Amino acid sequence: MEVLRRRPDVVAAERRVASSNARIGEAISGYYPKISISGLLGFESMSVSHLFRSTTFQPQVVSGLRWRLFDFGKIDAEVAQAEGAQAEALARYRQSILHAAEDVENAFTALAQLQAHTNELQREIAALKRSRDLAQDAYRAGAIPLTDVLDADRQLLVAKDEFFRSRADTARAAVRSFRALGGMPTAEEPATGADQSSAI
């Protein structure tokens, strides 16, 4: 779960939930009176030099107290609207988590399947190499024609080409898996083709 929270879509959804919670608190605060100290005391000036002058200190309780006492119906509507927005934000957050989990599962399933296919091709190439070497020995001994050796070479080349493609697909799947977890790789695509030929 903590890993998925790094994803940009999950981060954005989580921020929307936090923002909706703040709006609920702001709406509920409308039920309570707003008190202004300077208004309650009736200060014409809050500077130190004028603070205790008789002309400055004029108690005016009403001006320092604001209360939407007769506006509770509107406050109820504002709170309900804020709670509705929060419910929607929570639903979107849950949806983003489910989507993230599905994305990660699909990415790693594809990666595992491609890796297994690559390993299988590597074993097949090793077997085809042995078969090609045996064909060459048999040709030198005059037991088989040259076409059999050429056919063994062709099968080996086809398997190698498929292996290189599979390994490139596996590398790209690894990048997609990293991105699904919220990572930001620096290299967009792995090297393919001739750059990997030294592995076989």
Side-chain angles (χ1 to χ4, degrees):
M1 176 63 178
E2 288 301 319
V3 175
L4 294 181
R5 289 181 67 183
R6 298 185 307 173
R7 288 171 54 106
D9 55 341
V10 175
V11 170
E14 191 170 352
R15 286 176 179 172
R16 283 194 293 268
V17 171
S19 177
S20 66
N21 286 336
R23 284 194 293 271
I24 290 178
E26 183 179 351
I28 290 177
S29 69
Y31 288 119
Y32 303 96
K34 303 293 189 299
I35 300 175
S36 170
I37 298 299
S38 60
L40 281 173
L41 298 180
F43 289 161
E44 295 177 359
S45 172
M46 289 297 289
S47 64
V48 176
S49 60
H50 298 85
L51 187 58
F52 296 104
R53 291 184 181 179
S54 59
T55 57
T56 300
F57 184 70
Q58 298 174 355
Q60 297 176 358
V61 175
V62 176
S63 66
L65 179 64
R66 291 187 297 108
W67 195 2
R68 299 171 63 184
L69 184 60
F70 301 104
D71 205 14
F72 279 2
K74 185 176 180 181
I75 297 174
D76 289 341
E78 291 172 356
V79 171
Q81 182 179 7
E83 289 176 343
Q86 184 203 35
E88 182 179 355
L90 282 172
R92 289 183 178 180
Y93 178 70
R94 294 189 187 101
Q95 186 63 33
S96 70
I97 291 294
L98 291 174
H99 173 72
E102 182 182 7
D103 195 18
V104 169
E105 182 180 3
N106 291 340
F108 275 90
T109 298
L111 175 61
Q113 291 174 345
L114 285 167
Q115 185 61 59
H117 182 57
T118 301
N119 293 339
E120 182 182 349
L121 287 170
Q122 195 165 20
R123 290 190 293 269
E124 181 182 349
I125 288 172
L128 288 172
K129 279 184 178 180
R130 290 192 296 269
S131 178
R132 190 271 315 273
D133 292 342
L134 291 173
Q136 286 180 337
D137 292 341
Y139 169 72
R140 293 189 186 100
I144 61 172
L146 179 59
T147 53
D148 289 353
V149 178
L150 295 176
D151 185 59
D153 281 333
R154 181 189 60 78
Q155 292 181 45
L156 180 58
L157 288 174
V158 169
K160 282 185 175 183
D161 286 343
E162 187 176 355
F163 170 81
F164 292 138
R165 286 194 297 271
S166 180
R167 194 165 72 169
D169 291 341
T170 301
R172 283 189 286 268
V175 171
R176 286 192 294 270
S177 298
F178 185 67
R179 286 175 174 168
L181 290 173
M184 297 297 293
T186 55
E188 288 297 319
E189 297 294 344
T192 59
D195 294 339
Q196 302 185 38
S197 59
S198 59
I200 299 299

